[in-house]
Amino acid sequence: MLAGVEALVEPGEPVEPVEPVEFINLAVSGAQTRDVLERQLPAGLELRPDVVSVVVGVNDTLRCTFDIHAVAARLDTVYGAFAEQGAVLLTACLPDPGGTLGLPGVLARPLARRQRAVNAVVHALSERYGAVHLHAAEGAWLTDRAMWSADRLHPGERGHRQLAVRFHAVLAEAGLATGSAPSPEPEFPAPTTSASLWWLATAGTGWVARRCTDLLPQLLTLAADELRHRARGTSARLDLRASAAVSAALAALSVAERQPDAA
């Protein structure tokens, strides 16, 4: 799943066009919310899209610089800018990367906690800006290996089609799509096991190396913290701390929104 902005520009109705539409993909692999804000948002606004999807957040959780306050502020700016233009905004909450990567529990839990924080922010801001939101953080598709690419972090063609089918359903429920749903069946054959192994042995090694130098030292520290809290029976404190951080991040946005009026 490429992270960032995808825009649909069309002359008539927002989702069910009577003329050909133009689809523009500004998303790139590895993009974080900072990239969306600084690079993709200006380009997306110039297009003045009728429909725009902003699906991002997992890559932020995989960095040692993760900061839910910064993630919330960036998403608030991006969502707000497209909503102000009148675009139909599509958003999604996403599964935690530790689970899809199959990491051991003590390593997966800190990443899951981060992703839950991002999803909570996405839920709140999607409601604030009237986005068409897809809850993609749970479901049988997460454990279906056929849905995922070799890196076990990005959906394969079948997984992307599953997301398209589900997005069409929520758009239709909102009265924004009346055409037939996209096919869930892949157009191209799935990569063979040997091709997947070759990717992991070549391009995949670079991805692992980047994560090891960036995230791994911090992740080991977080895992040690998990073990200490578990030994003391205080693991719930970690969840409460994360929830408090989300609440503070959203409260800060509300305060910033009220300040101009107060002046």
PDB file of all heavy atoms in Angstrom, residues 24-37:
ATOM      1  N   ILE A  24      -4.899  10.333 -10.432  1.00  0.00           N
ATOM      2  CA  ILE A  24      -3.513  10.758 -10.222  1.00  0.00           C
ATOM      3  C   ILE A  24      -3.038  10.234  -8.881  1.00  0.00           C
ATOM      4  O   ILE A  24      -3.639  10.518  -7.844  1.00  0.00           O
ATOM      5  CB  ILE A  24      -3.392  12.293 -10.262  1.00  0.00           C
ATOM      6  CG1 ILE A  24      -3.866  12.804 -11.625  1.00  0.00           C
ATOM      7  CG2 ILE A  24      -1.950  12.734  -9.998  1.00  0.00           C
ATOM      8  CD1 ILE A  24      -3.990  14.302 -11.707  1.00  0.00           C
ATOM      9  N   ASN A  25      -1.972   9.452  -8.899  1.00  0.00           N
ATOM     10  CA  ASN A  25      -1.429   8.844  -7.695  1.00  0.00           C
ATOM     11  C   ASN A  25      -0.181   9.606  -7.258  1.00  0.00           C
ATOM     12  O   ASN A  25       0.852   9.559  -7.914  1.00  0.00           O
ATOM     13  CB  ASN A  25      -1.081   7.377  -7.968  1.00  0.00           C
ATOM     14  CG  ASN A  25      -0.647   6.656  -6.705  1.00  0.00           C
ATOM     15  OD1 ASN A  25      -0.712   7.203  -5.603  1.00  0.00           O
ATOM     16  ND2 ASN A  25      -0.201   5.421  -6.865  1.00  0.00           N
ATOM     17  N   LEU A  26      -0.290  10.315  -6.146  1.00  0.00           N
ATOM     18  CA  LEU A  26       0.845  11.046  -5.590  1.00  0.00           C
ATOM     19  C   LEU A  26       1.535  10.263  -4.480  1.00  0.00           C
ATOM     20  O   LEU A  26       2.571  10.704  -3.974  1.00  0.00           O
ATOM     21  CB  LEU A  26       0.366  12.392  -5.034  1.00  0.00           C
ATOM     22  CG  LEU A  26      -0.301  13.340  -6.035  1.00  0.00           C
ATOM     23  CD1 LEU A  26      -0.839  14.576  -5.313  1.00  0.00           C
ATOM     24  CD2 LEU A  26       0.671  13.743  -7.130  1.00  0.00           C
ATOM     25  N   ALA A  27       0.958   9.132  -4.096  1.00  0.00           N
ATOM     26  CA  ALA A  27       1.510   8.356  -2.991  1.00  0.00           C
ATOM     27  C   ALA A  27       2.805   7.665  -3.396  1.00  0.00           C
ATOM     28  O   ALA A  27       3.006   7.319  -4.561  1.00  0.00           O
ATOM     29  CB  ALA A  27       0.486   7.313  -2.538  1.00  0.00           C
ATOM     30  N   VAL A  28       3.670   7.466  -2.412  1.00  0.00           N
ATOM     31  CA  VAL A  28       4.936   6.774  -2.639  1.00  0.00           C
ATOM     32  C   VAL A  28       5.192   5.813  -1.490  1.00  0.00           C
ATOM     33  O   VAL A  28       4.744   6.041  -0.358  1.00  0.00           O
ATOM     34  CB  VAL A  28       6.125   7.753  -2.765  1.00  0.00           C
ATOM     35  CG1 VAL A  28       5.985   8.631  -3.990  1.00  0.00           C
ATOM     36  CG2 VAL A  28       6.261   8.607  -1.510  1.00  0.00           C
ATOM     37  N   SER A  29       5.907   4.750  -1.772  1.00  0.00           N
ATOM     38  CA  SER A  29       6.240   3.779  -0.748  1.00  0.00           C
ATOM     39  C   SER A  29       7.137   4.423   0.316  1.00  0.00           C
ATOM     40  O   SER A  29       8.083   5.133  -0.013  1.00  0.00           O
ATOM     41  CB  SER A  29       6.952   2.578  -1.381  1.00  0.00           C
ATOM     42  OG  SER A  29       7.283   1.619  -0.402  1.00  0.00           O
ATOM     43  N   GLY A  30       6.822   4.178   1.565  1.00  0.00           N
ATOM     44  CA  GLY A  30       7.636   4.688   2.655  1.00  0.00           C
ATOM     45  C   GLY A  30       7.276   6.079   3.128  1.00  0.00           C
ATOM     46  O   GLY A  30       7.892   6.598   4.064  1.00  0.00           O
ATOM     47  N   ALA A  31       6.277   6.708   2.511  1.00  0.00           N
ATOM     48  CA  ALA A  31       5.919   8.080   2.874  1.00  0.00           C
ATOM     49  C   ALA A  31       5.370   8.141   4.290  1.00  0.00           C
ATOM     50  O   ALA A  31       4.634   7.263   4.733  1.00  0.00           O
ATOM     51  CB  ALA A  31       4.909   8.650   1.895  1.00  0.00           C
ATOM     52  N   GLN A  32       5.733   9.197   4.991  1.00  0.00           N
ATOM     53  CA  GLN A  32       5.207   9.480   6.318  1.00  0.00           C
ATOM     54  C   GLN A  32       4.270  10.681   6.230  1.00  0.00           C
ATOM     55  O   GLN A  32       4.151  11.325   5.190  1.00  0.00           O
ATOM     56  CB  GLN A  32       6.349   9.773   7.279  1.00  0.00           C
ATOM     57  CG  GLN A  32       7.354   8.631   7.421  1.00  0.00           C
ATOM     58  CD  GLN A  32       8.532   9.009   8.289  1.00  0.00           C
ATOM     59  OE1 GLN A  32       8.374   9.389   9.449  1.00  0.00           O
ATOM     60  NE2 GLN A  32       9.729   8.907   7.740  1.00  0.00           N
ATOM     61  N   THR A  33       3.626  10.988   7.342  1.00  0.00           N
ATOM     62  CA  THR A  33       2.705  12.123   7.339  1.00  0.00           C
ATOM     63  C   THR A  33       3.423  13.428   7.003  1.00  0.00           C
ATOM     64  O   THR A  33       2.835  14.318   6.399  1.00  0.00           O
ATOM     65  CB  THR A  33       2.009  12.256   8.709  1.00  0.00           C
ATOM     66  OG1 THR A  33       2.987  12.259   9.757  1.00  0.00           O
ATOM     67  CG2 THR A  33       1.030  11.106   8.930  1.00  0.00           C
ATOM     68  N   ARG A  34       4.684  13.537   7.373  1.00  0.00           N
ATOM     69  CA  ARG A  34       5.446  14.735   7.012  1.00  0.00           C
ATOM     70  C   ARG A  34       5.567  14.868   5.492  1.00  0.00           C
ATOM     71  O   ARG A  34       5.448  15.968   4.938  1.00  0.00           O
ATOM     72  CB  ARG A  34       6.836  14.700   7.638  1.00  0.00           C
ATOM     73  CG  ARG A  34       7.699  15.919   7.303  1.00  0.00           C
ATOM     74  CD  ARG A  34       9.118  15.755   7.811  1.00  0.00           C
ATOM     75  NE  ARG A  34       9.165  15.664   9.254  1.00  0.00           N
ATOM     76  CZ  ARG A  34       9.184  16.729  10.055  1.00  0.00           C
ATOM     77  NH1 ARG A  34       9.135  17.947   9.545  1.00  0.00           N
ATOM     78  NH2 ARG A  34       9.248  16.558  11.354  1.00  0.00           N
ATOM     79  N   ASP A  35       5.821  13.739   4.815  1.00  0.00           N
ATOM     80  CA  ASP A  35       5.935  13.769   3.353  1.00  0.00           C
ATOM     81  C   ASP A  35       4.610  14.167   2.712  1.00  0.00           C
ATOM     82  O   ASP A  35       4.588  14.916   1.731  1.00  0.00           O
ATOM     83  CB  ASP A  35       6.368  12.393   2.830  1.00  0.00           C
ATOM     84  CG  ASP A  35       7.699  11.960   3.399  1.00  0.00           C
ATOM     85  OD1 ASP A  35       8.666  12.731   3.283  1.00  0.00           O
ATOM     86  OD2 ASP A  35       7.767  10.862   3.979  1.00  0.00           O
ATOM     87  N   VAL A  36       3.518  13.650   3.269  1.00  0.00           N
ATOM     88  CA  VAL A  36       2.199  13.994   2.726  1.00  0.00           C
ATOM     89  C   VAL A  36       1.946  15.489   2.888  1.00  0.00           C
ATOM     90  O   VAL A  36       1.466  16.162   1.967  1.00  0.00           O
ATOM     91  CB  VAL A  36       1.098  13.172   3.419  1.00  0.00           C
ATOM     92  CG1 VAL A  36      -0.281  13.640   2.974  1.00  0.00           C
ATOM     93  CG2 VAL A  36       1.274  11.694   3.104  1.00  0.00           C
ATOM     94  N   LEU A  37       2.252  16.016   4.054  1.00  0.00           N
ATOM     95  CA  LEU A  37       2.011  17.436   4.329  1.00  0.00           C
ATOM     96  C   LEU A  37       2.882  18.336   3.460  1.00  0.00           C
ATOM     97  O   LEU A  37       2.391  19.296   2.849  1.00  0.00           O
ATOM     98  CB  LEU A  37       2.278  17.722   5.806  1.00  0.00           C
ATOM     99  CG  LEU A  37       2.214  19.184   6.234  1.00  0.00           C
ATOM    100  CD1 LEU A  37       0.806  19.737   6.060  1.00  0.00           C
ATOM    101  CD2 LEU A  37       2.683  19.343   7.680  1.00  0.00           C
TER     102      LEU A  37
END
